[in-house]
Amino acid sequence: MGRHSSEDLDRVRKLLDQVAHGSKAAFAALYDETSPYVYGALLRLLRNPQWATEALQDCYIRVWQHADGYAAERGDPYGWLIGIARYRALDLLRAQTDRAGRLAENASDLRDAAVVPKNPETETLTLIDLEHLQRCLAHLPAAQRECLLLGYYEGHSNQELADRLHLPLGTVKAWIRRGLVRLRSCMEEP
Amino acid sequence: MNYDKPELVSLLASQYVLGTLRGPARRRLERLRISHPQVQEAVQFWEDLLQPLALQIDAIKPPLPARAQMLARAFEFAPLRQPAPIAAAPRRRRRDALRRSVGFLAAASVIGVMLVLGAISLGGGRLSFPASHQRADSAELANADSMLPIYLARVGIPTSSMGWMISLSPDHRSLSIVASDDLYSVGRGTVQLWWLRNGSTPMPLAILGTERDSTVTVTVPPDFESGQSLVFAISLEPSGGSPTGLPSGAVLDRTERDEAI
């Protein structure tokens, strides 16, 4: 899965383990090793270097405080880091669209949730390979696939997707719902 | 809404992970994720399912100042954890090193550099800055917690994993260049690091170590932090470094233009 060698992944896992025990040097090394990937994801999602930098810093501070939340069996540590960063980015996007600030009060709940250790019973899909996912995405109708990928990579809400694709909101919602159901069904096939 | 219905929970979790679930529904799911095991499991399921997408995004180096700011913010809150024993980095198998040597040879052939086989010898007095070699081991790393270097850039040998990490000391007085791997002998020559200054000739910084973790330390040159771009390059040079004070051999790598500190 992914583009990192098993050696890279082991090195990052070891760094995370050391960070979980409070090593500042390991934390700095973890940042040096992984931050370009996390920043790349954030920049794509937020399209704003200042926000991306802010989310990047929040992400790593979160990691520093809760590195013990990473469960090695959960798979790619880069994916885990990017997952934390994505949620922070979505927080920022959400805050941007809600100037009254109603939503900020619950942001910390999400960050807490982002590092909840994995329940062993849920490890059915820990090592899904990219090829399988790409194959399943390829089987989706193009419009459904486009909605899913735009939502994932660019953080669009349903309404933003509808505006961007010049489609009724109901149509976009239906495509996303069907796309996700079909994706899951395909991924669960052997 | 009935959150005990698995289909509904899965649907909401999938849109939550995707990012399209917004507004009150998203906030509700965030709260339920903490308290509701089924919701937590469904979110984790979708995180794992979609995780490969996250790994396909191109890496982009974040702005340099972000690192120091983040470390300063993070270390305001020291987590209550026990120090971990840090094991020495395992030496890699020789076959891996040989594979990288092949990568180096391929790169060298591409750029048309033919070197006579022999040992790479380091040293020489052509550098502008005093250089010293030392082994950086894990124990030192552990002790360095309070003295974190500032990462600047990485230069490397094309088509191989061999590279050098360039860092600035916390007091901004010296540069450390650490080899990430063993570079086995491919000829009589050296790899030399250059600072590409704005509107001026490249400045030689150091002849680089070729054993994993070997560190070369040089004094920070004047004007290094005065708004100059921090762009580095490495070139293949004769033993002892470039005889001209300028890159004379093939340039193996060059970093992207970066922000000055």
Side-chain angles (χ1 to χ4, degrees):
Chain A
M1 182 170 76
R3 67 185 126 182
H4 301 284
S5 68
S6 58
E7 204 169 48
D8 289 339
L9 298 177
D10 284 345
R11 191 168 57 249
V12 172
R13 287 189 185 106
K14 280 178 188 166
L15 287 173
L16 276 168
D17 184 51
Q18 292 171 12
V19 172
H21 289 84
S23 169
K24 292 179 179 176
F27 181 60
L30 177 76
Y31 178 88
D32 293 339
E33 184 96 16
T34 58
S35 61
Y37 300 94
V38 178
Y39 186 67
L42 287 169
L43 207 52
R44 179 151 185 187
L45 200 62
L46 294 168
R47 299 179 293 280
N48 179 317
Q50 190 178 338
W51 293 355
T53 302
E54 184 184 330
L56 180 79
Q57 293 187 359
D58 289 349
C59 166
Y60 279 92
I61 288 167
R62 185 72 193 152
V63 169
W64 170 242
Q65 294 173 326
H66 296 275
D68 49 352
Y70 172 70
E73 69 272 15
R74 186 91 190 258
D76 195 313
Y78 287 88
W80 181 75
L81 289 166
I82 292 171
I84 293 173
R86 278 191 81 245
Y87 284 133
R88 178 60 189 135
L90 290 169
D91 280 349
L92 285 174
L93 287 173
R94 188 174 64 180
Q96 182 207 16
T97 55
D98 190 342
R99 292 195 174 89
R102 281 186 301 109
L103 309 176
E105 60 187 346
N106 292 318
S108 61
D109 291 348
L110 174 57
R111 287 193 289 277
D112 288 339
V115 290
V116 171
K118 186 175 175 64
N119 182 334
E121 293 174 5
T122 66
E123 292 170 17
T124 50
L125 281 171
T126 50
L127 293 175
I128 295 162
D129 68 286
L130 179 64
E131 280 183 20
H132 192 184
L133 181 57
Q134 285 178 329
R135 218 168 29 245
C136 289
L137 282 168
H139 286 150
L140 296 180
Q144 291 179 14
R145 184 169 61 245
E146 185 179 17
C147 283
L148 295 187
L149 294 180
L150 280 175
Y152 187 86
Y153 283 124
E154 304 200 4
H156 288 313
S157 65
N158 290 326
Q159 185 62 58
E160 289 164 346
L161 282 171
D163 293 343
R164 176 162 173 170
L165 300 173
H166 306 292
L167 291 166
L169 177 60
T171 303
V172 166
K173 282 184 175 178
W175 283 356
I176 287 178
R177 192 168 56 243
R178 286 179 206 149
L180 287 166
V181 169
R182 290 174 82 158
L183 187 64
R184 174 174 186 155
S185 171
C186 174
M187 292 297 289
E188 288 179 331
E189 288 172 7
Chain B
M1 209 173 280
N2 185 358
Y3 290 102
D4 291 325
K5 286 181 71 176
E7 298 81 10
L8 175 63
V9 169
S10 177
L11 182 64
L12 290 172
S14 65
Q15 297 190 30
Y16 170 78
V17 174
L18 188 67
T20 51
L21 190 69
R22 299 289 177 92
R26 187 173 188 89
R27 294 199 297 280
R28 218 164 26 239
L29 198 85
E30 286 166 5
R31 285 193 294 271
L32 284 166
R33 189 183 173 184
I34 306 291
S35 61
H36 219 289
Q38 288 90 336
V39 175
Q40 183 182 320
E41 286 178 20
V43 168
Q44 287 184 348
F45 175 92
W46 280 99
E47 285 177 346
D48 291 340
L49 193 145
L50 295 176
Q51 189 187 72
L53 292 176
L55 304 174
Q56 297 308 298
I57 298 169
D58 289 337
I60 299 172
K61 206 165 127 187
L64 187 57
R67 182 189 196 267
Q69 291 164 5
M70 185 279 296
L71 291 177
R73 284 177 60 194
F75 295 159
E76 285 175 13
F77 309 101
L80 298 173
R81 300 167 183 143
Q82 294 299 314
I86 299 176
R91 300 289 294 178
R92 299 190 185 181
R93 284 195 287 264
R94 183 168 179 80
R95 70 162 187 244
D96 291 339
L98 288 173
R99 179 168 49 77
R100 281 182 284 280
S101 299
V102 171
F104 181 86
L105 279 168
S109 65
V110 167
I111 58 180
V113 177
M114 299 300 292
L115 296 171
V116 180
L117 288 175
I120 292 179
S121 62
L122 298 173
R126 294 191 179 86
L127 293 176
S128 301
F129 309 102
S132 64
H133 293 263
Q134 63 191 48
R135 299 289 299 182
D137 60 29
S138 298
E140 286 175 336
L141 194 69
N143 292 332
D145 275 5
S146 59
M147 293 286 286
L148 296 172
I150 301 163
Y151 171 79
L152 294 181
R154 183 186 183 279
V155 288
I157 302 289
T159 72
S160 87
S161 63
M162 182 64 197
W164 292 266
M165 185 176 287
I166 307 168
S167 303
L168 183 66
S169 64
D171 60 6
H172 292 215
R173 290 182 179 173
S174 61
L175 293 173
S176 291
I177 306 103
V178 185
S180 66
D181 212 335
D182 294 316
L183 179 62
Y184 279 79
S185 168
V186 290
R188 181 168 293 279
T190 57
V191 180
Q192 190 161 359
L193 177 68
W194 304 86
W195 174 34
L196 307 185
R197 298 173 292 178
N198 292 337
S200 186
T201 55
M203 175 178 284
L205 288 178
I207 292 175
L208 301 181
T210 52
E211 288 183 28
R212 180 176 177 166
D213 293 341
S214 62
T215 303
V216 176
T217 304
V218 297
T219 305
V220 167
D223 299 332
F224 192 73
E225 299 182 65
S226 61
Q228 286 273 0
S229 290
L230 295 181
V231 181
F232 301 95
I234 52 172
S235 64
L236 278 178
E237 300 295 344
S239 174
S242 168
T244 65
L246 293 171
S248 63
V251 175
L252 298 174
D253 192 18
R254 175 190 162 128
T255 63
E256 294 299 316
R257 187 163 294 274
D258 206 339
E259 289 186 28
I261 297 170

